[in-house]
Amino acid sequence: MSVPPLCLTVERGEGTTWLRLAGVLDHDTSEAFGVRATACVDADPRPAELRLDCAKLRLCDSMGLAALLMIHRRTAARGITLVLDDPPPSMERMLRITGTRQLFAPGTAESRGPDEVSRTTD
């Protein structure tokens, strides 16, 4: 069984651009994803928010995370809020482990889950 490539769909609303991801965000697809997301940010002169709908994303590896971080830097520099909607559990775990979850959900507190990398006890 082959892994589906990344499919991107763009929707624009007043002040918000949605980028819907389906398939795999990995070494093979992250560069094209970064180009497309950057183009979406640059196309709208004053978007307040870029939302990445990850509900149909099957996999995100470290290269996918690197692309997300690059997009975060670009949006933050322009004052645009970047939000990840419905990331799959494996992606959510990777974001928590790397300490990057808060970058993609501004204004929300991170919860500490049972699969933390390290714990301290007194």
Side-chain angles (χ1 to χ4, degrees):
M1 176 166 63
S2 67
V3 177
L6 186 65
C7 177
L8 303 171
T9 306
V10 178
E11 295 178 25
R12 298 189 194 283
E14 191 171 324
T16 301
T17 298
W18 289 269
L19 190 53
R20 304 196 190 284
L21 293 77
V24 175
L25 181 55
D26 66 359
H27 179 269
D28 295 329
T29 61
S30 60
E31 185 175 347
F33 167 70
V35 169
R36 182 82 182 268
T38 298
C40 288
V41 169
D42 293 343
D44 190 340
R46 301 187 69 69
E49 187 174 63
L50 176 63
R51 299 189 77 95
L52 305 179
D53 179 356
C54 301
K56 294 184 180 178
L57 195 62
R58 293 190 52 208
L59 172 76
C60 179
D61 71 4
S62 60
M63 288 297 292
L65 177 58
L68 291 171
L69 293 171
M70 183 273 304
I71 294 162
H72 176 267
R73 285 190 300 275
R74 180 121 179 146
T75 56
R78 291 195 50 203
I80 300 168
T81 301
L82 177 61
V83 179
L84 293 182
D85 292 325
D86 299 318
S90 61
M91 183 179 188
E92 188 71 57
R93 184 172 188 266
M94 178 175 60
L95 294 169
R96 281 196 322 267
I97 288 171
T98 59
T100 56
R101 184 60 179 113
Q102 74 282 356
L103 298 176
F104 305 105
T108 61
E110 276 192 280
S111 62
R112 300 181 76 87
D115 53 353
E116 291 268 329
V117 173
S118 64
R119 295 177 190 243
T120 59
T121 56
D122 293 311

